[in-house]
Amino acid sequence: YIDNAPNGIFVIDGNGRFVDANPAMCEIAGSSRNRLLATRIADLIAEGYEHAARDFLDRVCNEGQANGELPMLTEDGETRWCAVSGVRIDSDRCLGFVHDISEIRRLQQLASRAERLETAGTIAGQVAHDFNNLLGPVMAYPDLIREELPLSLIHI
């Protein structure tokens, strides 16, 4: 069952070194099983998120379980956002579950960008409307002047 699971499943020791990993975990890491078993989980965490990963592992070790989202690096340098759950299985090993949520995060970013563009469009429309309100009297003023001036002074 574990080998055919759609999500990554792994076991790490107390030093964060991989002890076991299923094929889905190897696919998420973009690595062969042998290479993965020769690394530490910290080696997969994207730069700048090491502290968050350490906090996650500390929660698993101290509280017995934790859930979170972390960016993982594949062997070729691609960043994959992952939902990660971990449980302590004994004093020196933890069991982890990983689900690649990169596509979900990408779609969330697109939706956020579209929302910002929609907001900018709304603001631009309001500014244009206000400007038009100011411009209306200015455009009408020449007609008022023409009505007040004698015809001999108007050369249009």
Side-chain angles (χ1 to χ4, degrees):
Y1 295 113
I2 292 172
D3 284 344
N4 293 313
N7 294 325
I9 301 172
F10 63 90
V11 176
I12 57 171
D13 65 17
N15 295 318
R17 189 163 299 283
F18 284 96
V19 175
D20 200 2
N22 73 342
M25 182 63 210
C26 296
E27 183 179 323
I28 290 169
S31 179
S32 70
R33 186 171 186 276
N34 288 338
R35 283 189 183 152
L36 195 58
L37 295 181
T39 62
R40 296 174 57 238
I41 190 130
D43 300 332
L44 297 181
I45 302 301
E47 187 176 324
Y49 290 88
E50 299 88 352
H51 185 70
R54 185 74 244 158
D55 287 347
F56 178 84
L57 288 173
D58 286 346
R59 282 196 324 267
V60 172
C61 292
N62 297 327
E63 299 170 19
Q65 63 98 26
N67 299 299
E69 293 181 3
L70 292 169
M72 291 190 167
L73 289 176
T74 64
E75 267 190 20
D76 62 1
E78 178 188 355
T79 300
R80 293 185 179 171
W81 276 93
C82 297
V84 184
S85 297
V87 293
R88 184 180 59 230
I89 52 178
D90 64 28
S91 63
D92 192 47
R93 291 183 303 162
C94 296
L95 175 65
F97 305 91
V98 178
H99 180 70
D100 186 345
I101 58 168
S102 299
E103 184 64 14
I104 293 168
R105 286 188 63 109
R106 187 185 73 76
L107 293 173
Q108 286 172 335
Q109 287 173 342
L110 285 174
S112 176
R113 190 174 303 141
E115 189 175 293
R116 287 192 308 266
L117 286 173
E118 181 181 358
T119 300
T122 300
I123 291 170
Q126 291 170 347
V127 168
H129 179 75
D130 290 346
F131 184 71
N132 191 42
N133 287 343
L134 293 172
L135 196 57
V138 172
M139 296 301 289
Y141 193 69
D143 291 335
L144 291 174
I145 291 174
R146 267 192 224 118
E147 291 174 9
E148 297 291 324
L149 289 176
L151 287 175
S152 61
L153 295 176
I154 300 175
H155 300 288
I156 298 177

